[in-house]
Amino acid sequence: MSISRRKFLGWVGAAGVGTVVARSAHASGNKHFEGYPGSFGVLHDMTRCVGCRSCEAACNHVNSLPAPEQPFTDLSVLMQERRTTEKSFTVVNKYSVASRQTPLFRKIQCNHCLEPACASACFVKAFQKTSTGAVIYDPSVCVGCRYCMIACPFEIPAYEYNEALSPRVMKCTLCYPRISQGQLPGCVEACPMEALTFGKREDLIETARERIRQFPGRYVDHIYGETEMGGTSWLYLSGVPFSQVGMREDLGVTPAPELTFGALSVVPIVAGLWPVLLTGIYAISKRKEIIFQQELEAVKKAAQSRSKEEI
């Protein structure tokens, strides 16, 4: 059985380092982290979104992603519910709600949690929450364990299963290279309806509250992402309950690392059995090989003896 270096490091790392890091992540989760002061975020006002997919096209362009099978001008894709993939960091879904004459549209991407579960679950620290608000990924240290995919409550990270040599975990980066240089995220810059607003997270929360105050009949009195899972850098306003546009309302306000620790702390233990199992398989294989060689030698000696007797 051939084992790639990436898989081997994943098994060994999970067995040793993983347990220690998981414990420290849980300990750090005992104190709620409210985000870096002045960090950025995006407010998505779903009442303004028209489902034009301009954000998808812009995201594809700025991240140099492969072109989709259907062009971004083809709105027929909105007829089916989609999720982000390793080739699509953001998607727009359409929702028909009984209480509304017109549909609602929701843009889906990484929410860039204040305390990201992906970062807390990653024992090699491939994921990092930056002071800009973006959660970024370093593929050079990733061992492909995919704990991040298990941990994420929003089911965002996607894996490059078709990349045999160096697969990566792919997701929205909040256009970290762009915002680090004072530019807008690609999706925000491209939105023709101003359904996406970029700015400091605390300012976006105030903007959202002011819209709710001015137009109470237009919005649900809640800013999704302000407190969910301890808070996210991506915030949402909606004209209907968030569950009606495919969003979870059972997440609570506890940061994800605290919730995932119990389950994920078991994963390194399970993964830790792999080196033991592999050692056992190796020992059994070697034992079989020794027995085979002994039997082969016995057969050779018996054949040689018969040959001498015949002579």
Side-chain angles (χ1 to χ4, degrees):
M1 177 179 65
S2 62
I3 304 172
S4 69
R5 178 176 178 272
R6 180 183 291 265
K7 285 184 179 179
F8 175 76
L9 290 175
W11 289 336
V12 174
V17 181
T19 303
V20 176
V21 175
R23 286 176 181 167
S24 64
H26 176 60
S28 66
N30 291 333
K31 182 178 179 182
H32 175 49
F33 175 60
E34 297 183 351
Y36 290 101
S39 65
F40 298 109
V42 177
L43 173 63
H44 176 30
D45 189 336
M46 286 183 270
T47 69
R48 297 185 178 188
C49 183
V50 295
C52 66
R53 301 185 67 201
S54 295
C55 56
E56 290 188 39
C59 177
N60 182 277
H61 174 70
V62 300
N63 289 290
S64 301
L65 298 174
E69 293 182 3
Q70 297 170 271
F72 292 108
T73 53
D74 185 352
L75 302 185
S76 66
V77 299
L78 299 175
M79 300 304 294
Q80 58 183 352
E81 188 170 353
R82 298 177 295 154
R83 60 153 293 170
T84 58
T85 70
E86 73 279 9
K87 298 178 181 179
S88 302
F89 292 174
T90 188
V91 296
V92 175
N93 279 342
K94 176 182 177 181
Y95 300 89
S96 297
V97 183
S99 60
R100 292 176 58 93
Q101 294 182 346
T102 57
L104 280 173
F105 300 91
R106 174 169 71 100
K107 179 182 180 298
I108 303 170
Q109 71 298 301
C110 174
N111 285 323
H112 299 275
C113 303
L114 299 187
E115 294 190 76
C118 58
S120 119
C122 182
F123 57 83
V124 295
K125 300 186 184 300
F127 283 94
Q128 177 187 354
K129 178 71 173 180
T130 69
S131 58
T132 64
V135 177
I136 60 174
Y137 165 74
D138 182 358
S140 68
V141 298
C142 179
V143 296
C145 68
R146 285 159 280 174
Y147 292 177
C148 55
M149 296 173 66
I150 300 172
C152 179
F154 303 106
E155 300 181 348
I156 293 299
Y159 194 66
E160 290 183 315
Y161 288 101
N162 293 328
E163 291 293 332
L165 298 179
S166 56
R168 297 166 295 173
V169 176
M170 306 294 279
K171 72 172 193 66
C172 159
T173 66
L174 197 62
C175 281
Y176 177 71
R178 290 174 62 88
I179 64 176
S180 298
Q181 298 176 4
Q183 297 176 288
L184 290 172
C187 59
V188 176
E189 188 174 69
C191 182
M193 304 303 294
E194 297 185 355
L196 303 174
T197 305
F198 177 79
K200 292 184 178 180
R201 184 176 184 271
E202 57 263 32
D203 294 340
L204 295 176
I205 292 174
E206 286 304 312
T207 297
R209 287 176 180 162
E210 183 60 27
R211 290 184 189 179
I212 294 172
R213 280 194 294 266
Q214 288 187 359
F215 307 100
R218 179 186 299 177
Y219 298 104
V220 172
D221 189 10
H222 180 67
I223 306 168
Y224 194 100
E226 182 179 7
T227 58
E228 276 75 12
M229 301 303 296
T232 62
S233 295
W234 205 280
L235 306 165
Y236 299 83
L237 284 177
S238 174
V240 300
F242 290 96
S243 61
Q244 295 185 21
V245 287
M247 301 177 73
R248 294 182 60 180
E249 293 187 314
D250 62 340
L251 296 176
V253 299
T254 305
E258 292 186 32
L259 297 176
T260 56
F261 168 73
L264 289 173
S265 62
V266 179
V267 177
I269 296 174
V270 175
L273 296 176
W274 274 106
V276 178
L277 177 61
L278 292 174
T279 301
I281 293 173
Y282 176 76
I284 292 172
S285 299
K286 291 299 292 182
R287 175 62 179 166
K288 287 182 177 180
E289 184 179 341
I290 292 172
I291 293 173
F292 173 76
Q293 289 296 333
Q294 290 175 343
E295 292 176 346
L296 182 61
E297 288 298 323
V299 170
K300 287 181 178 179
K301 288 181 179 179
Q304 289 173 354
S305 298
R306 285 195 300 270
S307 296
K308 289 179 179 179
E309 291 175 357
E310 291 175 357
I311 293 173

